[in-house]
Amino acid sequence: MSPRVLTVVGNRPQFVKAAAVSGRLRERADEILVHTGQHYDPELSDVFFEELDPPRPDHELEIGSGTHAEQTAAILTRLEPLVADLRPDALLVYGDTNSTLGGALVAAKSSVPLAHVEAGMRSGNRAMPEEINRVVADSLGELLLCPTEAAMENLRHEGLGDRAVETGDVMADVALGMGPVADERSRILERLGVEPRGFFVASAHRPGNVDDPEHLALLLEVLEQAAALAPVVFPVHPRTRARLEDAGSLEGLAERGMTTTEPLGYLDMTRLVRTARGMITDSGGLQKEAFLAGVPCLTMRDETEWVETVDAGWNRLIGLRPEAVRSTLEELPTAGEPSPAAEIYGSGRAGERVATAIADRLG
Ligand code: UD1
């Protein structure tokens, strides 16, 4: 009999990751998909199901927004009875969000083997909520599915190497597969009136960058430095929009060379990343997607989990230092040069490897 796998997703990047795995997994297992509801806005959730076509959720926990405690507690309370009822053979979680943490804790307390995709990623910064979530998920996981050799090494270092398998990166599968589709279908360049290689694309949502008004002001100065060279297209995450409104800064951004938009769907964002002159971000996924597209990236953090992007010379950590923008851009490769990213991240076959490992080891 096929094993029954209960998959927990809840945030924007997890819908992308599940799109790479679910199809393959369903060839080998009965998958039940649970959406925690941590991200519920159509722009952060529905559009990803429409464009990437992962299976629709079988169960919705509707936890919504809240503090870390509220979100985690709501997942525990609502997921535990579902797991007791469905009695899965394995529980699958992705990445490092509060939805990952909640899923991992319920699996462990219900004695259901846990598989963790994107295991072994570390920033070394315990002030990031994601770092706590990663460490807990990896210590509870029985099958740790690592996107990179660096992640494998982190787990070996923590004594968890015997549970780890290197699969490649599932988000890279989607970026490689959907890139040409985005080029064909997206009309975002026309809508925003920008030319290929004639703009930068920016994103920001880390609490450490946007919740503190002084940090937020510096972040805008970083973007302004880039905007002096070419227009900056800035799709704004809801958390960041709220903080910009609080600071009264949203209105003035156009004058400072920034074109803000609502959060974009996968195809529009991918089209922007692939045609930009450069990326400026604090997201993990976008650092990597820029590298895959052969687009240089400035990362507004002081550490990264995706160390290959930096080691290969396509990404630089500039923190919130506006004075670093111009000189760093001059040192990075020009957009469009070939990058070695596809091979580093598994050549588009990570979803297949994840599904096989789950069926073989936990089935
Ligand atoms: C979460 C993840 C982060 C991930 C990001 C992807 C945690 C701890 N953080 O951060 O790792 O990179 O998702 O986007 O899990 N909001 C809406 N609509 C929504 C969801 C949220 O407007 O559909 C607003 C709410 O005001 C909410 C705020 O955004 O309070 C933050 O949302 P939350 O889910 O707490 O964390 P993110 O910042 O999105």
Side-chain angles (χ1 to χ4, degrees):
M1 232 176 60
S2 299
R4 176 179 278 189
V5 178
L6 191 140
T7 299
V8 178
V9 294
N11 303 65
R12 177 162 68 170
Q14 290 163 346
F15 311 136
V16 180
K17 293 166 195 174
V21 174
S22 276
R24 306 290 189 183
L25 186 60
R26 284 169 191 231
E27 293 165 9
R28 300 166 174 83
D30 293 327
E31 186 187 37
I32 302 164
L33 192 65
V34 178
H35 186 336
T36 65
Q38 184 175 346
H39 283 175
Y40 46 85
D41 277 356
E43 292 163 334
L44 293 189
S45 180
D46 298 358
V47 65
F48 292 86
F49 284 92
E50 281 151 27
E51 291 182 344
L52 301 175
D53 208 24
R56 302 282 149 159
D58 300 292
H59 299 274
E60 310 221 12
L61 305 182
E62 297 181 345
I63 67 154
S65 297
T67 64
H68 290 264
E70 285 164 349
Q71 287 185 328
T72 312
I75 296 171
L76 299 186
T77 316
R78 296 177 200 185
L79 185 60
E80 188 186 59
L82 199 59
V83 169
D85 192 32
L86 296 168
R87 303 168 67 84
D89 299 300
L91 197 145
L92 170 63
V93 294
Y94 292 92
D96 55 19
T97 72
N98 290 341
S99 295
T100 316
L101 175 68
L105 287 171
V106 170
K109 296 271 178 161
S110 309
S111 303
V112 174
L114 175 72
H116 181 209
V117 169
E118 218 173 81
M121 305 308 286
R122 296 288 183 272
S123 66
N125 176 2
R126 292 262 169 126
M128 282 176 79
E130 292 80 3
E131 186 78 351
I132 312 284
N133 296 344
R134 292 176 189 130
V135 169
V136 173
D138 286 343
S139 76
L140 297 178
E142 291 201 11
L143 179 57
L144 304 178
L145 301 147
C146 294
T148 60
E149 174 51 32
M152 292 287 289
E153 189 51 39
N154 289 337
L155 292 181
R156 280 183 215 116
H157 185 69
E158 293 175 22
L160 298 172
D162 55 341
R163 301 187 227 161
V165 177
E166 187 174 347
T167 58
D169 176 54
V170 296
M171 260 185 140
D173 289 15
V174 184
L176 293 169
M178 295 301 279
V181 179
D183 291 343
E184 198 185 304
R185 290 205 204 142
S186 167
R187 291 287 159 273
I188 190 71
L189 302 189
E190 295 80 352
R191 191 184 117 197
L192 298 176
V194 291
E195 296 289 329
R197 310 296 178 215
F199 66 96
F200 293 99
V201 60
S203 87
H205 76 283
R206 292 274 159 222
N209 279 346
V210 304
D211 287 358
D212 173 334
E214 280 178 26
H215 289 179
L216 184 61
L218 277 175
L219 186 144
L220 295 178
E221 281 182 42
V222 167
L223 301 189
E224 199 172 10
Q225 284 295 319
L229 304 171
V232 171
V233 174
F234 183 15
V236 186
H237 182 284
R239 171 193 286 277
T240 310
R241 179 169 296 273
R243 301 297 176 265
L244 288 168
E245 276 166 4
D246 293 346
S249 316
L250 198 55
E251 300 295 302
L253 294 184
E255 275 167 31
R256 300 169 73 181
M258 294 167 228
T259 303
T260 55
T261 73
E262 72 289 0
L264 297 175
Y266 190 80
L267 295 178
D268 282 343
M269 194 63 191
T270 299
R271 175 79 178 140
L272 284 175
V273 172
R274 284 163 67 88
T275 55
R277 172 169 161 185
M279 158 70 71
I280 307 164
T281 190
D282 62 10
S283 143
L286 286 169
Q287 293 171 49
K288 196 175 43 187
E289 284 165 14
F291 183 32
L292 285 159
V295 167
C297 183
L298 301 183
T299 295
M300 297 183 285
R301 290 176 50 194
D302 292 319
E303 73 283 311
T304 182
E305 303 78 23
W306 300 101
V307 290
E308 316 74 29
T309 59
V310 174
D311 293 345
W314 283 83
N315 183 16
R316 285 280 187 87
L317 306 175
I318 62 159
L320 295 178
R321 293 183 291 280
E323 66 283 3
V325 171
R326 283 171 183 245
S327 55
T328 310
L329 278 172
E330 278 168 19
E331 291 165 15
L332 287 172
T334 308
E337 283 177 27
S339 102
E343 270 179 40
I344 292 175
Y345 292 120
S347 306
R349 294 203 302 277
E352 176 77 37
R353 293 195 189 112
V354 164
T356 307
I358 292 172
D360 288 354
R361 300 235 192 159
L362 300 183

